Amino acid sequence: MFGTNGVRGIINKELTVELALNLGRATGTVLDTGLIAMARDSRMGGEMFTQAVISGLTSTGCSVVNLGPAPTPTLQYMIPRLGCVGGVMITASHNPPHFNGIKVIGSNGIETTREIESEIEAVYNSRKFKTADWDKIGRVTHYDSAIDDYLEGIKSLVDINKIRERNLRVVIDGANSVGSIGTPRLLRELGCSVVSLNCQLDGSFPGRNPEPIPENLRDLAAAVTATGADLGIAHDGDADRAAFVDEKGNVLWGDKSFALLASRILARKKGSTLVTPVSSGRLIEDVAKKAGAKIDWTEVGSVVVSHRIEEIGAELGGEENGGVFYPAHQPVRDGAMTAAQIIEMIASEGKSLSQLVSELPTYFNTKVKVPVSQEKKEPILEALLNLTKDMDRITIDGVKIIRDDGWILIRPSGTEPLYRCFSEGKTQETSDHLNQEGVELIKRAEKLV
Ligand code: MG
C-alpha cells in the first residue's frame, strides 16, 4: 500500500474516499490518541481526502489541527511545534495531475518509518479500527498561522541584511501549487523583487507538469532572461524541492544546487557530516572533501536520509535530484529553505549563479534501464554481489562500483521489472564506457540465475 513516499494513486480510481477514511482510522488506531496536524497541496480532491482522513482520525479519538493548503515542509515544521503526535499530508508531490496521495508523518516531523507504515497497513487490512466512545471523539481545529511561523523560521537562519543589500530580482514558478503560498512572500520579505509565474493554486496544473525538471521549466527560463532576473526558482507540487535557473536561462540539475549549498554549509564546521544516497556522484564527494566533511552513504530515498540525519546528528543531507535537508531548520527536504540559502549564497559571494556553478567540477552521466523478469530481480542481485565481490564497491543499495575515473551504480527498480544502471565519469565517453560495463554485468548475472 505504502510506496517510497506514502500512498499514491489515481484520484477516485485507486485513491478513493473510502481508502482515505479507512487509512485515517488505521493511522488513528496506530498513533497514540493525541493531536494530529493535516495539510494538503493544491491537487484535485485535496479537500475531499482531507475531510475523509479527518473523519477517520477523529472517530478513533485523535484530534486534528487542519493547516489547510500548505507545503509539506510547512506541515513537517509545525508538527513538533504544535505538540502533535503526528501528521498527515495529502499530496502526490511531482506526480502527474490525475494523481493524489496520503503520507503519514511522525511526531518529529519526519515521514514515519517502514515499521509504522506496516503497522498502519496491517490495521487497515484487518479492519480492526479503534472506535472512540461517543464522548471521546476527536475535535477539529484550524491553525491559520502555519506559513507565518514557517517563514519566520527560515528567515531566522539566513543573513537578511546581506540579501537585502543585493536587491535581487527573482522569478518564482510555484507549479500552481502550495509553493506559491510561501516562497514569493518569503523572497519579498528578504528584499528581493519578485516576478511570479504559475502562482495561482489550480489542481489541473495549467502552467506545467509539477515535476521541476528542465523540460518542464522552459517558461521559467524564458521569463528569467526576458525580465533580466538574477535567477529563477521552481518548486515541485508540494514544495519540498526547489530547482534553479541561472541568470542566463540555464536550468541547473539538482546536484549542482545541492553541491553549491554543501560547499558553503559544510565549510562552516570542521568535520561535518553529509548524509546522501549512494546515487549521488563525485561532484558532491569533491565538495565534501574540500570542506573537510565526511559522507555517510544511505539507500536511495528521502525518508531514509531524514532518519539517518536525525540518528547521527549530521549537519546536512541532500539528493542529486535537488532535495536539500538542512537540520538546523529541520531534517527534511525543504524547497523554500533551499531557495533562501541559494539566494543568501549569491548575495554574500557577490557572484552570479552561473559563475558559482562554473566553479564546480563537471562530470558526465549515463543512465540506462535493463528489463529483467520480476522473479529474477532478487537472484540477479545475489549474483551481482558475487560477481563484484573483489571490486572496490558499496553495497548499501544495489551495487556501486568505484573506479578512479568514475563509478557505476546498479540497482533493481522498486516498482518495475527492470534494473537501472547509472554511471559517471570525467568525460561522456568514460561514463558511457562504464555504463556498458554495468549493463554487461547485469546480463552476466542474469545468465547465472
Ligand atoms: Mg515533493
Side-chain angles (χ1 to χ4, degrees):
M1 183 172 192
F2 287 93
T4 46
N5 236 313
V7 179
R8 299 236 178 121
I10 296 170
I11 299 164
N12 263 357
K13 286 215 157 59
E14 295 151 0
L15 192 75
T16 61
V17 283
E18 291 85 350
L19 185 151
L21 173 70
N22 285 330
L23 194 62
R25 296 171 83 188
T27 303
T29 303
V30 170
L31 299 184
D32 272 341
T33 304
L35 185 62
I36 294 184
M38 284 204 67
R40 63 180 171 88
D41 66 14
S42 71
R43 282 174 186 274
M44 294 289 184
E47 188 61 31
M48 173 177 85
F49 293 124
T50 300
Q51 295 307 331
V53 172
I54 288 177
S55 295
L57 288 170
T58 49
S59 74
T60 68
C62 287
S63 286
V64 173
V65 52
N66 189 356
L67 311 185
T72 299
T74 304
L75 172 67
Q76 293 176 301
Y77 184 80
M78 293 313 301
I79 288 170
R81 286 165 180 85
L82 291 172
C84 297
V85 296
V88 178
M89 181 75 198
I90 309 294
T91 179
S93 186
H94 59 274
N95 283 165
H98 54 295
F99 279 81
N100 211 330
I102 302 170
K103 68 175 171 183
V104 182
I105 298 164
S107 59
N108 56 1
I110 302 176
E111 289 87 345
T112 50
T113 57
R114 278 261 170 253
E115 292 72 48
I116 303 229
E117 281 180 355
S118 305
E119 272 182 60
I120 294 172
E121 202 168 329
V123 173
Y124 178 93
N125 289 328
S126 72
R127 296 288 194 270
K128 284 185 184 141
F129 304 120
K130 188 158 107 189
T131 307
D133 289 338
W134 69 274
D135 57 348
K136 300 278 188 319
I137 287 169
R139 293 163 187 274
V140 184
T141 50
H142 294 263
Y143 187 75
D144 297 328
S145 314
I147 294 282
D148 305 340
D149 297 358
Y150 166 69
L151 295 187
E152 283 309 315
I154 294 175
K155 279 162 38 190
S156 72
L157 292 168
V158 291
D159 190 338
I160 301 183
N161 293 331
K162 266 262 149 49
I163 299 172
R164 286 213 171 111
E165 282 167 22
R166 274 293 297 273
N167 285 320
L168 295 168
R169 183 190 291 265
V170 189
V171 185
I172 160 88
D173 178 342
N176 294 112
S177 194
V178 286
S180 316
I181 302 174
T183 308
R185 186 179 135 194
L186 170 70
L187 300 184
R188 283 191 189 104
E189 290 175 6
L190 290 174
C192 301
S193 106
V194 177
V195 179
S196 51
L197 181 70
N198 304 323
C199 278
Q200 71 283 26
L201 300 192
D202 187 336
S204 68
F205 294 100
R208 66 167 165 93
N209 187 294
E211 183 159 24
I213 50 175
E215 66 222 62
N216 294 330
L217 304 182
R218 290 193 191 111
D219 290 349
L220 174 62
V224 166
T225 48
T227 58
D230 295 285
L231 76 157
I233 300 169
H235 286 304
D236 68 328
D238 64 332
D240 58 350
R241 282 197 282 146
F244 298 88
V245 173
D246 73 17
E247 79 285 0
K248 294 176 178 163
N250 302 307
V251 182
L252 308 189
W253 287 103
D255 62 338
K256 300 275 188 195
S257 44
F258 165 33
L260 284 179
L261 292 186
S263 68
R264 191 171 159 81
I265 294 165
L266 295 173
R268 282 180 196 154
K269 191 180 139 197
K270 200 102 202 98
S272 298
T273 303
L274 168 71
V275 177
T276 194
V278 288
S279 51
S280 286
R282 217 148 261 189
L283 169 59
I284 203 66
E285 284 187 67
D286 291 349
V287 163
K289 202 170 171 187
K290 201 170 163 196
K294 54 181 182 296
I295 293 189
D296 191 273
W297 298 106
T298 68
E299 284 169 55
V300 176
S302 65
V303 182
V304 195
V305 174
S306 288
H307 285 288
R308 186 67 183 159
I309 288 173
E310 193 77 338
E311 193 185 327
I312 64 170
E315 279 72 21
L316 188 69
E319 298 172 304
E320 91 291 353
N321 65 9
V324 178
F325 311 62
Y326 183 53
H329 173 56
Q330 56 175 345
V332 295
R333 298 193 294 203
D334 190 323
M337 184 76 238
T338 307
Q341 286 173 310
I342 287 283
I343 285 183
E344 183 193 42
M345 186 168 185
I346 294 171
S348 48
E349 306 264 320
K351 292 175 183 167
S352 69
L353 184 53
S354 72
Q355 262 176 307
L356 289 169
V357 171
S358 72
E359 290 166 9
L360 293 171
T362 308
Y363 291 99
F364 297 84
N365 290 90
T366 318
K367 294 185 181 186
V368 168
K369 294 177 187 172
V370 182
V372 300
S373 64
Q374 186 65 29
E375 56 278 11
K376 276 193 171 177
K377 257 162 72 173
E378 270 299 309
I380 287 176
L381 186 58
E382 292 289 311
L384 277 169
L385 288 169
N386 230 328
L387 284 171
T388 59
K389 66 175 185 295
D390 296 325
M391 298 179 187
D392 185 7
R393 61 175 194 175
I394 301 173
T395 56
I396 292 170
D397 190 351
V399 185
K400 185 174 185 176
I401 302 161
I402 316 288
R403 293 285 164 75
D404 290 340
D405 55 352
W407 52 267
I408 312 163
L409 174 65
I410 304 169
R411 290 177 63 232
S413 157
T415 47
E416 296 167 85
L418 54 89
Y419 264 77
R420 294 179 202 280
C421 182
F422 303 91
S423 59
E424 186 180 75
K426 283 187 181 132
T427 64
Q428 190 62 55
E429 204 188 345
T430 313
S431 176
D432 290 348
H433 192 79
L434 288 169
N435 202 277
Q436 241 169 16
E437 198 183 316
V439 171
E440 274 156 30
L441 269 170
I442 300 170
K443 300 227 159 107
R444 265 175 67 197
E446 195 178 12
K447 279 193 193 122
L448 291 172
V449 300

